[in-house]
Amino acid sequence: MDSSRLNIHLLSDIQSSPTPFHAVSVMSRLLLEQGFKRLQEQDDWGKLDGHYFVTRNASSIIAFQTTPEDIENNGIHLAGAHTDSPCLKVKPNPVINKQGYVQLGVEVYGGALLNPWFDRDLSLAGRVTFRNKDGAIQSVLIDFQRSVAVIPSLAIHLDPNANQKRSINAQTDIVPVLLQQDKDEKKDFHLILQDQIQAQHGNISVDKVLDYELSLYDAQAPSVIGLHEDFISGARLDNLLSCFIGLRAFLDADTGPASLLVCNDHEEVGSISSSGAQGPFLRSVLQRLAGPGEQLSRLIDRSMMVSCDNAHGIHPNYSHRHDSNHGPMLNKGPVIKINANQRYASNSETGAYFRQLCEETNVPVQDFVMRNDMRCGSTIGPITAAEIGVKTVDVGIPQLAMHSIRETCGSRDTFYLYRVLRHYFSTVC
Ligand code: CO
């Protein structure tokens, strides 16, 4: 796969993935197309020999390929990323009638940068759970795709100090407008969802919508931008970029050691959930791969994890927010993230190993350390390392505007990350 084809795939995969549910669905389809077999956690997996994947909550996914000899003699090359991104989620009783507008009450998911949500074309997607005509409870994914809502700014004439002092109240200021209506009748949101299910999944019979998890998202497609096409701009680059580049590298790797890709939901809210990195999903899969007794501990000690999550690239207008020796630049390769207080899991051995992988694939590599006078973020790396006990390095390609509704990264870094991960999956520990 060359660089421009990789980016074309990446943009289309991200656009098809407005929510973690959709991301897992797209990844599942790509795996099935490559001959991977879908496992269910409730089944007996028997002897595992080949290519498999398993999902949990339809929002986290683990894909792996292995042979019994691999498990016996070698370790597993693991890589991880997260499927979720900060966004606005629709509340259970969302409909608000105000000044002739119908608005949707939303809850902020994760550490969203709220300013950029104003005046964007917003669409709506997620999982809807309903009772079908046979009385069974069933879930489907929906995606309106077109722009169905907007959060209008307040004009500067009505707030003359807006450019100096405007702050955002997440309860009252970011309530999206869905439509206008003359009479003050309450719209039935469940019926709107029922119509959408019918429009998208015509053959499904819905008796009653019972519940949902829906997010608003930027309807503008991701794109390659810049006079010389240096950048990729799009929603959810943190961290669908790592999920999809990780998956392509995993699928395109030469037959090497056993390899595994895990993409967890709920990283943006701390990872504590049944499908999050601090839940038991990965351990449970590794346990089933390793077999009984001390096998799991032995397997983990022979294995390694590359945790991929985007890093903060240095911003030309705010370069003082970086340590002067640790300002990763876009298009200068993946970044190794280091934190003395273990907010990142990298250590000298895992870092050195990743540097060597980069050297072997001619990929430049950079370092990130947070300034001492600023709080350092974290990611799934240290959480997975603490849960499983696996040696881990935290890496990621640099980006600007993290957690904005649209983020920017380097158009050449995607191929760097792909090359080094493909090499990692192809190389014996
Ligand atoms: Co992230």
Side-chain angles (χ1 to χ4, degrees):
M1 174 114 39
D2 65 24
S3 173
S4 66
R5 265 192 60 207
L6 182 74
N7 284 342
I8 289 167
H9 281 303
L10 174 68
L11 299 191
S12 129
D13 291 341
I14 290 178
Q15 195 179 358
S16 306
S17 304
T19 72
F21 302 116
H22 290 83
V24 164
S25 162
V26 172
M27 294 175 91
S28 300
R29 179 174 50 74
L30 293 171
L31 287 158
L32 287 169
E33 281 170 12
Q34 296 292 315
F36 277 69
K37 193 173 162 226
R38 185 195 292 268
L39 298 169
Q40 304 292 344
E41 287 198 277
Q42 58 184 269
D43 292 344
D44 177 2
W45 289 0
K47 219 174 188 49
L48 294 166
D49 187 359
H51 303 67
Y52 306 91
F53 72 98
V54 55
T55 66
R56 188 178 275 201
N57 185 42
S59 65
S60 292
I61 185 165
I62 293 177
F64 59 92
Q65 58 88 18
T66 183
T67 65
E69 301 77 60
D70 271 338
I71 297 296
E72 193 73 21
N73 306 314
N74 304 313
I76 304 182
H77 275 193
L78 304 117
H82 65 87
T83 58
D84 60 322
S85 306
C87 64
L88 304 181
K89 293 205 170 186
V90 182
K91 288 178 177 174
N93 301 315
V95 175
I96 299 164
N97 288 329
K98 234 173 158 182
Q99 311 298 338
Y101 297 105
V102 176
Q103 295 176 275
L104 275 188
V106 292
E107 202 182 358
V108 180
Y109 175 84
L113 194 60
L114 293 177
N115 265 308
W117 281 81
F118 289 93
D119 309 320
R120 306 288 316 183
D121 297 354
L122 300 177
S123 190
L124 190 62
R127 174 167 74 178
V128 184
T129 305
F130 58 94
R131 185 170 57 233
N132 65 25
K133 294 265 160 65
D134 301 327
I137 291 180
Q138 199 180 333
S139 295
V140 287
L141 304 190
I142 61 166
D143 180 1
F144 282 77
Q145 292 187 330
R146 63 200 173 89
S147 315
V148 295
V150 65
I151 307 170
S153 294
L154 178 63
I156 194 158
H157 317 78
L158 305 180
D159 182 9
N161 295 322
N163 285 337
Q164 286 77 42
K165 286 195 191 148
R166 184 173 291 177
S167 62
I168 300 167
N169 180 317
Q171 173 66 21
T172 55
D173 298 347
I174 52 157
V175 188
V177 172
L178 202 58
L179 58 102
Q180 210 179 8
Q181 66 180 17
D182 293 336
K183 342 185 252 304
D184 230 19
E185 76 194 44
K186 266 274 195 235
K187 274 265 174 214
D188 187 336
F189 189 62
H190 286 71
L191 279 183
I192 295 174
L193 298 181
Q194 188 160 339
D195 289 347
Q196 182 62 23
I197 295 174
Q198 233 62 78
Q200 263 186 265
H201 309 270
N203 51 345
I204 290 178
S205 63
V206 181
D207 176 37
K208 188 181 182 196
V209 169
L210 299 173
D211 216 331
Y212 55 80
E213 289 165 78
L214 295 167
S215 316
L216 286 143
Y217 72 92
D218 179 14
Q220 188 184 347
S223 52
V224 177
I225 61 163
L227 187 59
H228 296 149
E229 305 197 331
D230 287 328
F231 312 113
I232 288 174
S233 166
R236 305 178 300 286
L237 297 181
D238 170 17
N239 193 19
L240 291 182
L241 183 148
S242 305
C243 291
F244 286 114
I245 297 293
L247 181 65
R248 298 279 172 187
F250 173 80
L251 291 173
D252 294 352
D254 303 329
T255 317
S259 54
L260 182 151
L261 178 73
V262 51
C263 297
N264 285 114
D265 195 3
H266 298 144
E267 189 274 343
E268 300 293 358
V269 292
S271 293
I272 302 178
S273 76
S274 68
S275 51
Q278 204 166 339
F281 187 32
L282 178 58
R283 171 175 283 278
S284 148
V285 169
L286 290 175
Q287 179 76 69
R288 295 171 80 157
L289 272 166
E294 63 181 24
Q295 296 300 331
L296 178 62
S297 303
R298 296 178 62 190
L299 176 66
I300 285 171
D301 193 44
R302 289 195 295 259
S303 300
M304 163 150 190
M305 169 87 167
V306 176
S307 156
C308 288
D309 197 355
N310 292 356
H312 296 294
I314 193 161
H315 192 305
N317 303 346
Y318 305 93
S319 53
H320 58 284
R321 296 297 171 107
H322 275 75
D323 179 286
S324 54
N325 280 355
H326 300 91
M329 292 173 69
L330 269 55
N331 288 318
K332 300 283 185 205
V335 177
I336 298 177
K337 305 179 196 177
I338 295 144
N339 181 253
N341 300 301
Q342 298 299 303
R343 304 282 294 165
Y344 299 127
S346 317
N347 64 30
S348 67
E349 293 189 342
T350 58
Y353 179 75
F354 191 79
R355 284 176 215 281
Q356 179 152 308
L357 288 175
C358 290
E359 234 175 77
E360 287 166 356
T361 41
N362 240 334
V363 165
V365 61
Q366 313 184 73
D367 298 285
F368 176 76
V369 178
M370 185 55 100
R371 289 176 59 106
N372 283 318
D373 50 8
M374 288 170 68
R375 203 183 76 85
C376 185
S378 191
T379 178
I380 61 162
I383 293 170
T384 307
E387 284 295 312
I388 309 290
V390 65
K391 303 182 270 294
T392 300
V393 61
D394 271 302
V395 305
I397 71 163
Q399 67 157 99
L400 303 173
M402 192 176 283
H403 292 191
S404 173
I405 193 167
R406 256 180 116 69
E407 302 170 321
T408 300
C409 69
S411 57
R412 295 184 288 282
D413 282 328
T414 47
F415 195 52
Y416 286 140
L417 182 66
Y418 167 79
R419 268 165 44 199
V420 70
L421 288 179
R422 189 182 55 185
H423 180 49
Y424 167 64
F425 285 131
S426 310
T427 312
V428 178
C429 286

